[in-house]
């Protein structure tokens, strides 16, 4: 018999199963990343976003449908990472508004709630493109509503089945709808992730729940976590990774020494091909940066043990109190970046608060809100510095009591240009215009590596080749890193170019960076070239030309 209506406990179970489903298949979603650069994090972002909702659902005790939907939406919004995670949170927020006063949702109510979620998501995206998670959700929701109109007695289970049936077809259609997906021959990663989550929710509605592995073990007496409520966890992040051991000469003992200084519970395992690390630390970014020195990271897991501990404590069911600093000045800045050099640079340029993140490490809406709260200014400018962080920043802005302006910086050089153009003597409108003009005047490029074999635009790309990208488009795939820089110099420098910022990342020697700078000087002798040790992961070079 089909489940006729969704109740609070059923919705609670559906969200938990959706979170478990995407956690199981996040790597499949990551693998659908179009470009073969190490930024395939859609599945990871969706999984971490849903994990926030699962944690909140596990805290509730026999909730009403409205309370369960509201709690899931709030947790998703604050835990949202990347564009896909933000869009997912908006889908649930729209659903929650429809279900807020509903005790039980039949098929029609669920379908209409999903349509409300689609509408909320579309409103938040400036230029929605076809062939994305938005397209899949819209087509699937509309089909479910049409099915309910044809059969008003449709159960909630049947409505969700209709969503999945049409959604899977819509997902297959994304390949032809988006030219980039068509060239790569893949479906949209966000749409795939959404279908995985909804499939898991259907399992939860049917009672087909994934049993956590630990439940198969003998049950020990439960610990009294309330006794540990005030315990201070010095190293809150349980950080694990497996790195491909490409640099065979790199000293593993030195890695142990470095990590032992910034954490505890350290375990390092090595063989000829990989290095595996487990450590509790307050600086997970430092741990990953050290791992990248050996080679590409094959797996990464970071868990906030404070949050896990909080979830075990009954008193922690209440939302933690926000700490908002009182204004001490008119203007302040929040910047997203990764790498010691970049953090130092943005601090020197006047940033009050820094958020760890960027490519492959998208901060959550909550992370950004915390940084805004910590900035002692009436008006706070936020520099996302990555196109996959802009949407989360836009969602964080209205959650703050301060005036927040999100500048559309899609790269580190754009963020630098914006800060350099700020003038405390100008008013808000004039400063905003000046910074947005500075952003528009930047051409950004990066040098990274191919994380897998691929074929794009007729070019065959081999794993571990160096990739040169300008404005997000592939310019070259070569065997030598400096050849990639040379290609970017020719591509980016024009006759009227005046300034170049060259930021070199982890594993790049200073001598090599100076050679790279010479390529730009050769293209235009009048160029002013600034070389900065950014220490960033993922990108060997970040380049900005103005």
């Amino acid at each position: 018999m089909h489940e006729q209506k969704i109740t609070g406990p059923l919705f609670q179970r559906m969200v938990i199963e959706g979170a478990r489903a995407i956690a199981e298949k996040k790597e499949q979603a990551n693998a659908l990343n179009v470009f073969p650069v190490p930024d395939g994090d859609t599945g990871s972002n969706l999984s971490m976003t849903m994990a926030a909702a699962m944690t909140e659902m596990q805290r509730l005790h026999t909730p009403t449908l409205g309370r369960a939907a509201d709690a899931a939406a709030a947790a998703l919004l604050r835990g949202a990472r990347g564009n896909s995670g933000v869009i997912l949170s908006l889908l649930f927020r729209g659903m929650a508004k429809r279900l807020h006063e509903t005790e039980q949702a039949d098929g029609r109510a669920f379908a209409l709630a999903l349509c409300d979620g689609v509408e909320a998501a579309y409103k938040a995206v400036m230029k929605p493109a076809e062939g994305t998670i938005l397209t899949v959700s819209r087509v699937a929701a509309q089909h479910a509503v049409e099915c309910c109109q044809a059969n008003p007695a449709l159960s909630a289970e049947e409505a969700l089945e209709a969503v999945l049936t049409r959604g899977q077809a819509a997902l297959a259609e994304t390949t032809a709808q988006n030219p980039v997906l068509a060239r790569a021959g893949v479906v949209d990663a966000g749409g795939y992730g959404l279908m995985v989550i909804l499939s898991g929710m259907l399992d939860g509605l049917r009672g087909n729940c994934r049993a956590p592995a630990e439940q198969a073990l003998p049950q020990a007496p439960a610990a009294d976590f309330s006794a540990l409520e005030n315990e201070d966890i010095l190293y809150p992040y349980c950080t694990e990774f497996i790195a491909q051991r490409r640099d065979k000469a790199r000293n593993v003992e030195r890695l142990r020494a470095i990590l032992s200084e910034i954490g505890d519970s350290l375990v390092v395992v090595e063989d000829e091909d990989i290095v595996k690390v487990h450590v509790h630390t307050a600086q997970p970014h430092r741990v990953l940066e050290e791992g990248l020195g050996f080679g590409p990271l094959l797996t990464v897991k970071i868990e906030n043990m404070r949050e896990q501990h909080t979830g075990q404590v009954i008193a922690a069911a209440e939302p933690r109190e926000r700490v908002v600093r009182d204004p001490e000045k008119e203007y302040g800045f929040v910047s997203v970046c990764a790498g010691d050099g970049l953090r130092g640079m943005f601090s020197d340029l006047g940033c009050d608060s820094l958020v760890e993140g960027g490519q492959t490490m998208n901060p959550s809406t909550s992370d950004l809100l915390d940084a805004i709260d910590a900035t002692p200014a009436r008006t706070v400018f936020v520099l996302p510095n990555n196109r996959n962080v802009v949407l989360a920043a836009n969602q964080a802005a209205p959650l703050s009591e301060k005036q927040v302006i999100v500048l559309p910086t899609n790269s580190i050089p754009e963020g630098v240009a914006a800060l350099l153009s700020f003038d405390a003597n100008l008013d808000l409108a004039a400063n905003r215009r000046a910074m947005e003009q500075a952003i528009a005047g930047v051409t950004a490029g990066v040098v990274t590596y191919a994380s897998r074999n691929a074929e794009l635009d007729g070019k065959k790309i081999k794993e571990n080749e160096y990739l040169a990208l300008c404005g997000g488009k592939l310019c070259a795939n070569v065997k030598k890193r400096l050849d990639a820089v040379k290609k970017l110099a020719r591509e980016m420098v024009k006759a009227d170019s005046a300034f170049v910022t060259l930021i070199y990342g982890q594993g790049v020697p200073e001598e090599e960076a100076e050679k790279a700078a010479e390529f730009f000087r050769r293209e235009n002798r009048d160029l002013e070239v600034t070389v900065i040790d950014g220490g960033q992961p993922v990108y060997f070079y970040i380049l900005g030309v103005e």
Side-chain angles (χ1 to χ4, degrees):
M1 179 179 176
H2 291 295
E3 193 65 56
Q4 294 299 314
K5 295 183 178 181
I6 300 173
T7 62
L10 272 178
F11 188 84
Q12 183 181 17
R13 191 170 71 192
M14 289 167 67
V15 172
I16 290 172
E17 289 309 306
R20 288 175 175 167
I22 189 61
E24 289 176 359
K25 295 190 176 181
K26 64 181 179 182
E27 292 306 327
Q28 287 93 319
N30 287 342
L32 293 172
N33 176 50
V34 173
F35 281 107
V37 298
D39 63 354
D41 56 359
T42 298
S44 298
N45 283 339
L46 287 171
S47 180
M48 286 188 284
T49 301
M50 283 297 294
M54 179 171 72
T55 299
E56 191 62 30
M57 291 298 97
Q58 290 170 333
R59 293 175 181 171
L60 297 181
H61 180 65
T62 58
T64 63
L65 177 56
R67 186 184 175 205
D70 286 343
L76 284 164
L77 176 61
R78 291 182 178 273
R81 295 174 186 269
N83 292 342
S84 55
V86 172
I87 290 171
L88 181 69
S89 74
L90 292 168
L91 290 172
F92 274 82
R93 191 202 298 183
M95 290 175 64
K97 288 182 178 179
R98 167 76 64 163
L99 300 176
H100 181 69
E101 300 295 337
T102 306
E103 292 185 8
Q104 296 181 329
D106 58 12
R108 180 177 179 276
F110 176 78
L112 289 173
L114 186 55
C115 279
D116 286 353
V118 171
E119 183 179 354
Y122 265 91
K123 284 181 179 178
V125 178
M126 293 290 290
K127 296 179 180 178
E130 288 301 305
T132 67
I133 182 175
L134 288 171
T135 307
V136 174
S137 62
R138 186 193 75 241
V139 172
Q142 287 176 345
H143 176 69
V145 169
E146 291 168 1
C147 289
C148 290
Q149 289 172 340
N151 180 10
L154 211 65
S155 68
E157 183 179 337
E158 289 169 325
L160 186 47
E161 287 173 349
V163 168
L164 280 165
T165 299
R166 186 63 184 94
Q168 292 290 1
L171 176 63
E173 292 163 4
T174 61
T175 305
Q177 291 169 336
N178 187 312
V180 178
L181 297 178
R183 290 196 295 271
V186 296
V187 297
D188 177 66
Y192 171 83
L194 176 63
M195 287 297 100
V196 170
I197 291 166
L198 291 174
S199 179
M201 291 179 70
L202 179 59
D203 285 339
L205 182 58
R206 290 170 170 168
N208 301 329
C209 298
R210 296 160 177 78
E214 58 268 25
Q215 289 185 359
L217 300 175
Q219 294 295 309
D224 181 9
F225 287 99
S226 61
L228 305 176
E229 184 174 342
N230 296 317
E231 183 171 335
D232 182 22
I233 300 176
L234 181 61
Y235 298 116
Y237 296 100
C238 176
T239 306
E240 300 178 20
F241 71 78
I242 298 176
Q244 184 179 338
R245 199 169 182 182
R246 186 172 297 166
D247 186 350
K248 306 288 186 182
R250 196 170 183 87
N251 193 322
V252 176
E253 289 305 317
R254 181 174 178 274
L255 173 69
R256 285 193 177 93
I258 292 172
L259 297 187
S260 66
E261 292 178 358
I262 61 171
D264 63 10
S265 300
L266 175 64
V267 179
V268 179
V269 180
E270 59 172 307
D271 63 20
E272 286 296 314
D273 299 317
I274 65 166
V275 175
K276 182 175 181 179
V277 166
H278 168 282
V279 65
H280 295 172
T281 181
Q283 304 176 63
H285 62 281
R286 285 279 309 280
V287 175
L288 299 184
E289 286 172 2
E290 292 298 331
L292 282 166
F294 288 86
L297 300 183
L298 304 178
T299 65
V300 173
K301 185 178 78 170
I302 301 175
E303 295 178 337
N304 188 326
M305 294 184 295
R306 283 183 182 144
E307 288 297 316
Q308 291 177 330
H309 171 244
T310 299
Q312 302 282 2
V313 181
I314 295 175
E318 296 299 322
R320 66 179 177 81
E321 184 179 353
R322 284 174 57 198
V323 178
V324 182
R325 286 191 63 180
D326 292 332
E328 300 170 6
K329 55 185 178 179
E330 191 61 38
Y331 301 115
F333 288 89
V334 170
S335 180
V336 179
C337 61
D340 289 340
L342 288 181
R343 285 189 290 273
M345 179 182 67
F346 277 107
S347 292
D348 292 344
L349 290 172
C351 277
D352 303 89
S353 303
L354 301 174
V355 179
E356 183 70 21
Q359 202 64 30
T360 76
M361 298 181 293
N362 300 148
S364 68
T365 302
S366 183
D367 293 334
L368 294 163
L369 179 61
D370 287 346
I372 293 168
D373 287 345
T375 302
R378 292 182 181 83
T379 299
V380 180
F381 292 97
V382 179
L383 306 172
N385 299 335
N386 186 289
R387 68 177 67 252
N388 208 29
V389 180
V390 174
L391 198 52
N394 285 333
Q395 294 305 304
L399 299 178
S400 174
E401 294 78 13
K402 302 179 180 183
Q403 181 174 21
V404 180
I405 297 173
V406 178
L407 295 170
T409 55
N410 291 324
S411 66
I412 292 294
E414 291 177 0
V416 172
L419 284 168
L420 289 173
S421 66
F422 176 77
D423 185 345
N425 296 314
L426 298 178
D427 63 21
L428 176 59
N431 261 312
R432 185 171 186 172
R433 283 195 301 272
M435 287 188 284
E436 289 179 347
Q437 287 172 1
I439 292 167
V442 175
T443 300
V446 297
V447 173
T448 184
Y449 64 92
S451 58
R452 57 184 171 84
N453 293 331
E455 184 171 344
L456 288 173
D457 297 330
K459 290 184 178 179
K460 290 187 177 181
I461 298 168
K462 296 181 179 179
E463 183 179 357
N464 300 327
E465 280 187 327
Y466 293 103
L467 305 179
L469 294 96
C470 181
K473 295 182 179 179
L474 182 66
C475 298
N477 53 298
V478 293
K479 294 181 179 179
K480 295 181 179 180
R481 192 156 62 201
L482 282 177
D483 287 346
V485 180
K486 186 184 295 185
K487 175 63 178 177
L488 281 178
R490 293 171 180 169
E491 183 78 20
M492 297 172 68
V493 176
K494 309 299 180 186
D496 59 349
S497 298
F499 303 100
V500 171
T501 303
L502 185 151
I503 305 167
Y504 62 98
Q506 180 151 29
V508 178
E510 183 179 359
E511 298 79 11
E512 180 185 306
E514 289 297 339
K515 290 180 181 177
E518 280 302 313
F519 294 138
F520 288 85
R521 296 187 180 103
R522 290 175 194 171
E523 292 296 317
N524 186 334
R525 289 294 177 184
D526 295 327
L527 276 178
E528 181 180 327
V529 182
T530 302
V531 180
I532 298 170
D533 179 3
Q536 72 273 2
V538 183
Y539 296 135
F540 298 111
Y541 291 97
I542 298 174
L543 301 150
V545 177
E546 301 175 60

